[in-house]
Amino acid sequence: VAQDITAQRQAEKEKLDLVVQGERSKLVRDFVTALSHDFRTSLATIETSRYLADRLMQQEQYEKSITKLGAIRRAVNHMSVQIENLNAITTLNNLQRSYCDLNELVLDVVDECLEKARQNNQMIMFQPNGYIPQLKIDAEELRRAVRELLRNALSFTPTGGVVTIKTYIANDHIDISVHDTG
């Protein structure tokens, strides 16, 4: 006895596609909700600091004004990073994969962050695994992710602290780990 199950298989595939689409939608909703909260917080900081700086400047309290203007600068920088993250989400479906040396990519990012580490009397240690093969990845997206992890670690590491970044092979995948003393 033979039975054509093409329609059943098609229905199962459509059901799975709907579940995947629902998960993607939930992920985007959660991301936008978190990003909106971040933007509102940063905007409130900017507006409050702008108002206070304006008042202090009128009262000729320049030292306090400089502090408030610094808060505005930090909030604007934070929002710029969040906008960059939002832009990154839109490119995740269009990854440009090519073969890349992971250790070289991580070393480039470490070199980019060394000046910030030196300014804060921090140290970055890179411990590469020499047996990692060439990987077919989107190098720019991975570079952006590693840069963000390293910047975050440096931000929360106290003066004199150490940030360690490692590449290693774990079972059937390759990992990058970032540890800090913050």
Side-chain angles (χ1 to χ4, degrees), residues 57-155:
M57 290 177 102
Q58 290 172 6
Q59 297 169 2
E60 296 185 12
Q61 295 181 10
Y62 295 110
E63 300 244 345
K64 290 182 181 178
S65 296
I66 289 172
T67 302
K68 296 302 175 189
L69 292 172
I72 291 171
R73 182 183 38 60
R74 286 188 300 278
V76 168
N77 288 342
H78 177 73
M79 288 183 68
S80 295
V81 168
Q82 294 307 317
I83 289 171
E84 185 179 318
N85 290 341
L86 182 60
N87 188 42
I89 288 293
T90 62
T91 63
L92 288 180
N93 290 332
N94 300 320
L95 297 176
Q96 303 297 316
R97 294 182 180 162
S98 59
Y99 285 97
C100 178
D101 182 322
L102 180 66
N103 288 327
E104 191 175 302
L105 182 146
V106 172
L107 184 59
D108 287 346
V109 175
V110 167
D111 287 343
E112 288 176 25
C113 296
L114 278 177
E115 184 58 33
K116 180 180 180 184
R118 283 189 195 113
Q119 289 172 355
N120 295 326
N121 194 27
Q122 297 166 321
M123 192 165 88
I124 302 175
M125 293 179 55
F126 177 40
Q127 298 173 349
N129 180 308
Y131 298 102
I132 294 177
Q134 292 275 314
L135 303 174
K136 191 169 185 176
I137 58 174
D138 186 320
E140 287 310 308
E141 286 302 315
L142 187 58
R143 180 175 279 112
R144 186 188 63 75
V146 172
R147 184 182 304 118
E148 191 61 33
L149 287 170
L150 201 50
R151 284 179 181 168
N152 186 58
L154 289 169
S155 295

